[in-house]
Amino acid sequence: MAGASDDHSAAKVWALIGGIASVLSILGWLGLNNVGELKDLVADSPPSSSSPAPYTSSPSDRIPDDSDTGEGKADEPDPEPSTPAPNPTEEAFEAISAGDCLAVYDTGRGGTTSVDWSVGAPPDPVSCAGEQAQVQVTAINTACPTGYGKSYWSYRSATTGDTTKLCLTRVYHANYCILGRQSGDSISLALMTAVACRREPVPVPYNQIMHITGVYRAPAGADANNCRRVAGDQTRYWAALVDDGATLLCTTIYQGG
């Protein structure tokens, strides 16, 4: 039995020697000198392809926001609409009513082709029975009638684009003055004008200041001969039928200082 045991021990020794020889052979093949270098080589080796890669999110992976859940941000109030700046001229036109009388007249500076009103916007109405009344508003925002002593005044708002149109009829007062344009013996009366009764330069193309001597209910066939104030009156008169022929307006060239 002792011999068998010795043989077995010897076999283990030879197997161990064979194993060491194998290791040394492998180290030589790898270019390593000892087991420590093999350990370092194993520690520095990268992970095998079977090692799981670190997780990175795909482009489709994102944190959900309110649009994913259907829940929006808290409702914010809509901004207040801007309020147009006040337009005093438009407001003044809109404040006028048919039947109002105004202290407004044509200055004559627009010549015979246009009207130059004495103010930029309608003033407060005045009494139609008073001498301040120079025109009466007969209609608003409609086709205005035409004729002697009739005109219109309109204003288009740059803010709203709306147009307000006032139809006007001239109101005459005895002893007031208007402008005239004399050519030879004929004088054309500027029936929407008003001017101070004093001798001073007048706007072109006018060349006369005409004094209103009377405002009468016109008889049938009325003309300048109906303007005589007394028997034997030799004054030269120029007349016009206004208010659709219902009123006789009598004038003469102003002779005052």
Side-chain angles (χ1 to χ4, degrees), residues 104-106 115 117 134-138 144-152 166-172 178 189-193 240-247 249:
V104 174
Y105 55 88
D106 178 13
V115 175
W117 296 109
Q134 298 297 316
V135 294
Q136 183 173 29
V137 180
T138 57
C144 296
T146 58
Y148 292 129
K150 295 182 180 182
S151 188
Y152 66 89
L166 309 179
C167 301
L168 306 175
T169 294
R170 184 73 160 82
V171 178
Y172 300 99
I178 62 175
L189 302 177
L191 295 170
M192 296 302 295
T193 66
L241 290 172
V242 296
D243 298 332
D244 298 323
T247 301
L249 179 70

Side-chain angles (χ1 to χ4, degrees), residues 11-255:
K12 287 184 177 181
V13 171
W14 284 113
L16 178 59
I17 292 172
I20 292 172
S22 298
V23 169
L24 292 176
S25 176
I26 292 171
L27 292 175
W29 180 76
L30 292 175
L32 302 176
N33 297 322
N34 53 47
V35 177
E37 290 183 355
L38 177 62
K39 182 179 180 181
D40 293 339
L41 177 64
V42 173
D44 292 337
S45 298
S48 67
S49 59
S50 62
S51 301
Y55 173 80
T56 57
S57 61
S58 67
S60 62
D61 293 332
R62 58 187 174 87
I63 299 174
D65 56 22
D66 292 340
S67 63
D68 298 315
T69 61
E71 297 178 359
K73 296 181 180 179
D75 291 340
E76 297 180 358
D78 294 333
E80 292 292 333
S82 59
T83 302
N87 186 332
T89 301
E90 182 178 20
E91 292 173 356
F93 269 87
E94 292 178 345
I96 299 302
S97 301
D100 287 344
C101 286
L102 307 172
V104 174
Y105 55 88
D106 178 13
T107 67
R109 298 189 187 96
T112 60
T113 58
S114 63
V115 175
D116 178 62
W117 296 109
S118 56
V119 292
D124 293 336
V126 297
S127 171
C128 292
E131 291 190 351
Q132 284 186 305
Q134 298 297 316
V135 294
Q136 183 173 29
V137 180
T138 57
I140 297 176
N141 295 335
T142 187
C144 296
T146 58
Y148 292 129
K150 295 182 180 182
S151 188
Y152 66 89
W153 190 9
S154 63
Y155 174 77
R156 184 180 185 277
S157 170
T159 304
T160 64
D162 296 335
T163 298
T164 304
K165 185 176 183 181
L166 309 179
C167 301
L168 306 175
T169 294
R170 184 73 160 82
V171 178
Y172 300 99
H173 304 283
N175 298 319
Y176 277 52
C177 289
I178 62 175
L179 294 171
R181 183 181 183 186
Q182 184 171 12
S183 178
D185 195 44
S186 174
I187 297 180
S188 299
L189 302 177
L191 295 170
M192 296 302 295
T193 66
V195 65
C197 293
R198 57 177 179 263
R199 298 309 302 179
E200 61 181 18
V202 296
V204 176
Y206 303 107
N207 52 17
Q208 290 293 358
I209 295 175
M210 307 301 294
H211 183 233
I212 299 174
T213 59
V215 183
Y216 310 109
R217 183 183 297 275
D223 58 23
N225 292 322
N226 298 102
C227 292
R228 295 189 177 96
R229 289 167 283 182
V230 294
D233 186 357
Q234 298 300 311
T235 304
R236 179 68 187 273
Y237 294 98
W238 285 265
L241 290 172
V242 296
D243 298 332
D244 298 323
T247 301
L248 175 66
L249 179 70
C250 297
T251 71
T252 188
I253 295 175
Y254 179 69
Q255 301 295 335

